[in-house]
Amino acid sequence: MTELSEDDLAAVNTLRGAVMRLSRRLRHQRVDETLSPTEMSVLGTLARCGSATPGELARKEHVQPPSMTRIVAMLEAKGLVRREPHPEDRRQVVVSRTEQAAAILAESRDRRNAWLAELTEGLSEEERAVLRQAAPVLEKLAHL
C-alpha cells in the first residue's frame, strides 16, 4: 500500500465522514418505508445488472446465500421480484424485478436526485464545477 501524505490522509478522513453523513441523509429520502435498505439495494442491483440467481445476488450484495434466499422471498411476497426457472440449470432459479419494483426505484431515484439538486443550489458555480469533476472519481471509488 502506498503511504499517504498528511494532506491525503486528512482528505480521506473528511471524505469518509462526508460520504457517511450524506449516505445517511439520502437513506431518509426513501419512497417506500416498508423496504429495508438491503431490500432496496437488491432491487437496485437487479436494475443495474439484470436478472440473477440468488447466489449471484448474494455475491454482489456481500451477504450469505441463505440470507439472500430470505430477502428474495420477502421481495417476492411484496410483488417486487419474480422467480423463474433457470434456462440451463433446472435446480436453480433466476430472480428478476417486477414493474412495481422498477416504479419504486424510479420514484426513489427521482426523489433523491431532487433532494441533492436542491442541496447543490447552495453551492457556488466553482463548487458545482468541482462536484461535476469529482462525481466520476467518486463513482469509480464506489465500484473498486
Side-chain angles (χ1 to χ4, degrees):
M1 184 171 145
T2 307
E3 194 168 318
L4 297 176
S5 70
E6 284 190 37
D7 287 345
D8 287 342
L9 286 172
V12 165
N13 188 54
T14 300
L15 176 64
R16 179 198 46 76
V19 167
M20 289 178 66
R21 280 188 301 279
L22 195 55
S23 176
R24 192 170 33 255
R25 291 177 67 193
L26 272 169
R27 277 195 296 272
H28 291 295
Q29 301 301 314
R30 293 191 344 215
V31 170
D32 188 333
E33 294 292 326
T34 67
L35 294 174
S36 72
T38 301
E39 290 171 321
M40 284 295 290
S41 182
V42 169
L43 293 177
T45 296
L46 288 170
R48 279 188 311 282
C49 302
S51 300
T53 67
E56 291 167 339
L57 283 172
R59 280 189 295 283
K60 289 176 181 177
E61 292 293 314
H62 305 286
V63 299
Q64 294 298 313
S67 296
M68 184 55 65
T69 299
R70 285 190 297 278
I71 293 165
V72 167
M74 288 187 293
L75 290 171
E76 185 177 33
K78 294 175 182 180
L80 300 175
V81 300
R82 66 181 155 268
R83 297 190 230 204
E84 299 165 340
H86 192 284
E88 298 163 8
D89 185 350
R90 292 173 31 140
R91 297 169 296 167
Q92 292 197 50
V93 295
V94 175
V95 179
S96 57
R97 68 187 171 123
T98 63
E99 289 302 314
Q100 181 183 355
I104 288 171
L105 287 169
E107 186 178 349
S108 180
R109 182 177 46 250
D110 291 347
R111 179 182 286 183
R112 290 172 177 172
N113 284 347
W115 180 79
L116 278 172
E118 186 177 317
L119 283 182
T120 64
E121 289 175 4
L123 300 177
S124 69
E125 180 52 41
E126 293 80 18
E127 289 170 324
R128 284 194 295 277
V130 169
L131 187 59
R132 285 190 295 272
Q133 289 181 322
V137 176
L138 292 172
E139 178 72 13
K140 182 177 180 179
L141 286 175
H143 293 287
L144 288 179

